[in-house]
Amino acid sequence: MSVGDTVAGSLDTNLDIDYFLLDLKKGQTVVVCVESLNFDAELTIDFLGSRDEQVTIDNDGGGGILGTDAEITYRAIQDGPHYLVVVSASGFDTG
């Protein structure tokens, strides 16, 4: 996945997790949005070797029609791959 891409995903089963890889440069800022009418989206942005305080999580910050979309404006603190992780906030919704 690259900056500017729109990607469709699906949480097919309970406790399903979707992972996406995004390569960023230190200082690069991106806005990542997760929109769903089927579940309350939770988004995490993480990178290999991150400490707890460097992990960014959002649930409902993106608003949306039902107020349950996730959105993070993220500024990379290092070069390299960053992991975008999408789950249902309850863990039991699909869509």
Side-chain angles (χ1 to χ4, degrees):
M1 143 177 231
S2 299
V3 172
D5 287 352
T6 298
V7 178
S10 176
L11 298 180
D12 298 319
T13 62
N14 290 342
L15 305 176
D16 192 6
I17 302 171
D18 279 4
Y19 295 93
F20 302 92
L21 186 64
L22 181 62
D23 195 42
L24 297 175
K25 299 289 184 195
K26 182 177 181 178
Q28 185 175 9
T29 300
V30 295
V31 178
V32 181
C33 306
V34 179
E35 300 173 342
S36 176
L37 294 175
N38 298 319
F39 62 90
D40 183 2
E42 183 174 288
L43 171 64
T44 302
I45 301 178
D46 196 359
F47 56 89
L48 191 61
S50 66
R51 297 185 308 272
D52 286 347
E53 67 271 10
Q54 295 171 317
V55 176
T56 305
I57 300 172
D58 181 70
N59 178 16
D60 301 342
I65 293 172
L66 302 176
T68 58
D69 293 349
E71 180 176 299
I72 295 174
T73 299
Y74 178 80
R75 185 169 185 250
I77 62 170
Q78 70 175 36
D79 289 342
H82 288 69
Y83 304 94
L84 312 180
V85 183
V86 178
V87 298
S88 159
S90 73
F92 296 103
D93 296 320
T94 61

